[in-house]
Amino acid sequence: MTPARHNPPLAALLILAASALLAGTTLLAKALGTDELGPPLHPMQISHGRFLFAFLVIACTVGVLRPRLSRPHWGLHIGRTSFGWVGITLMFASVAYIPISDATAISFLNPVFAMILAIPLLKESIGPWRWFAAAVALAGALVLLRPTPDSFQPAALLALAAAASIGMELIFIKKLAGREVPLQILLINNAMGLTIASVAVSFVFRTPTSEQWAALAGIGVLMACAQACFVNGMARADASFVAPISYATLVFAALYDFTVFRVVPDHISLTGSAIILFGGLVLVWREARTAPPITSRKDPNR
C-alpha cells in the first residue's frame, strides 16, 4: 500500500475537520438524550444508531474501494470494540446532563488512562514528565467534577468512566497498529460494535421520531467521516504535530453548546478544561521529544 505523502497543512485541515465532526456527534447525542427532538432516547439506543449508520457508511466505502483485506486478529478486535462501545455509550449518557465542553474536556483524559494502563498491559516504563502530565490532567478533571456538596456533578463521573474505557480501547488499538489496514480495522470495529449495540438496545428500544432517526443517522455519518479524516490526517504528519490540533474539538463543542443550547462555560469549566489541555500538551511535547523523526520510520502498511 502506497504511504500517504507528508503534507502537514493538509493534515492540519483534516484533523480540524475531524474535530468539528466529532464535536457534532456529541451535540446530536445531547439533543437525543434530552427532549429537544422528542422523548429522550436511552444512551444505549443512541450508541446503537452511531454504530448502525457508521457501519453502513464504512461498508459502502469498502464495497467501492475494495481494499485488500487480511486475516483479522479477532481477540484484539473484540477487546477494542467492547471497551469502545462502553466508552461511547457512557459519553453519550454524560452529555445529556453536563455541558458538552465539560464532557469533551474530560474525554481528553483517555490518552492519560491509556498511558497508565500501558504499564501493566504493555510493560511500558513511564518517566517523570509523563507522570507530571497525567497528574495535571487528572487535577483538571477533579476541577470539572466540582467536588463540593453544592456543585458536585455526578454525571461527570460518567464522562470520566468513558475516558477510562476509551483509554483501554487505545491499548488494543496500539496492539492492532500495523497489523491490518485502517479501513479493515474500521469495518470490523463498527460491525462488532453494531452487534454488541443491537443486543443491548433490545432491552431499551423505543421507536424514534423522524427527527430522532435523522439525528441518529447524523451521528453515524459524522463519526464515520471524522474517523476517515483523522486516519488520513495522522498519515500525513507526525503525531506530535496533529495531536494538539485535535484539542480544537473542545472549542467546537463549546461553540455548538452555546449556539444550540445557549450554554455558556463558567469559570470552573474554563479552568478545568485549561488544566486538562495543559496536561495533554505536556504529554504531546514529551512524546515529540522521544519519538523518532517520521523519515526514519517504516510504513506499517507497506
Side-chain angles (χ1 to χ4, degrees), residues 107-127:
S107 74
F108 287 143
L109 290 173
N110 64 71
V112 173
F113 284 115
M115 181 198 78
I116 296 172
L117 290 168
I119 299 174
L121 299 178
L122 300 180
K123 308 303 180 183
E124 292 185 1
S125 59
I126 307 300

Side-chain angles (χ1 to χ4, degrees), residues 22-48:
L22 189 60
T25 65
T26 56
L27 172 68
L28 292 175
K30 181 167 185 172
L32 288 165
T34 57
D35 57 1
E36 289 293 319
L37 301 175
L41 295 183
H42 193 281
M44 288 196 295
Q45 187 164 359
I46 300 174
S47 64
H48 174 262

Side-chain angles (χ1 to χ4, degrees), residues 206-228:
R206 184 182 58 76
T207 303
T209 65
S210 56
E211 292 84 359
Q212 288 174 330
W213 273 121
L216 289 169
I219 289 178
V221 172
L222 289 179
M223 184 65 75
C225 292
Q227 289 177 323

Side-chain angles (χ1 to χ4, degrees), residues 128-189:
W129 276 107
R130 288 181 175 180
W131 280 118
F132 171 74
V136 169
L138 289 172
L142 185 62
V143 171
L144 289 178
L145 288 174
R146 293 169 167 82
T148 63
D150 296 329
S151 59
F152 176 63
Q153 297 188 110
L157 293 174
L158 295 173
L160 191 63
S165 184
I166 295 173
M168 188 65 188
E169 181 190 15
L170 290 176
I171 297 294
F172 286 96
I173 292 175
K174 190 168 184 178
K175 289 187 174 184
L176 275 170
R179 290 174 177 263
E180 303 168 28
V181 296
L183 198 53
Q184 174 175 315
I185 293 175
L186 291 178
L187 178 65
I188 295 175
N189 168 239

Side-chain angles (χ1 to χ4, degrees), residues 223-269:
M223 184 65 75
C225 292
Q227 289 177 323
C229 288
F230 186 78
V231 168
N232 280 282
M234 289 290 290
R236 286 169 170 80
D238 286 333
S240 58
F241 173 78
V242 300
I245 301 172
S246 67
Y247 288 120
T249 306
L250 181 57
V251 177
F252 286 114
L255 179 62
Y256 297 163
D257 216 5
F258 172 75
T259 303
V260 178
F261 298 102
R262 292 291 182 264
V263 174
V264 180
D266 58 18
H267 69 282
I268 296 178
S269 293

